[in-house]
Amino acid sequence: MKYKQRFKDMPIDDSWIHSKKREFFIQEISDLAFGENTIERGYSMEEVIERLKTFSESNLKEELK
C-alpha cells in the first residue's frame, strides 16, 4: 500500500507502510467491533465498519444529551 504525502508538516507514520503493523491494526479494530477472533468468525470488513459507525454515532448522541 502506498500513501502519498499530502501535508509536509504531518508526515505519514511508518506503521501504515509495514504490512505486519497494518495487519495488527486491522485485527485490533475488528476485535473492538465484535470481540475476539472477529476475522476468524467470518465477519466482513463492511460489517466491522458499520458496527464501529454505530458505536460512534451512539456515543455522540449520548455526549450531546
Side-chain angles (χ1 to χ4, degrees), residues 10-60:
M10 301 175 83
I12 296 171
D13 180 34
D14 287 339
S15 298
W16 294 111
I17 298 167
H18 294 93
S19 61
K20 286 184 182 182
K21 291 180 180 180
R22 278 196 320 269
E23 184 68 29
F24 175 76
F25 177 80
I26 292 167
Q27 183 74 49
E28 290 293 307
I29 292 298
S30 299
D31 289 351
L32 285 173
F34 288 104
E36 194 171 337
N37 299 318
T38 296
I39 297 169
E40 293 83 357
R41 290 188 289 139
Y43 288 98
S44 70
M45 288 182 178
E46 291 83 13
E47 289 173 310
V48 169
I49 290 168
E50 287 305 313
R51 180 83 170 235
L52 292 175
K53 283 181 180 179
T54 300
F55 288 163
S56 180
E57 290 168 3
S58 296
N59 189 47
L60 181 59

Side-chain angles (χ1 to χ4, degrees), residues 5-13:
Q5 183 70 41
R6 293 179 60 196
F7 306 102
K8 292 180 183 180
D9 60 334
M10 301 175 83
I12 296 171
D13 180 34

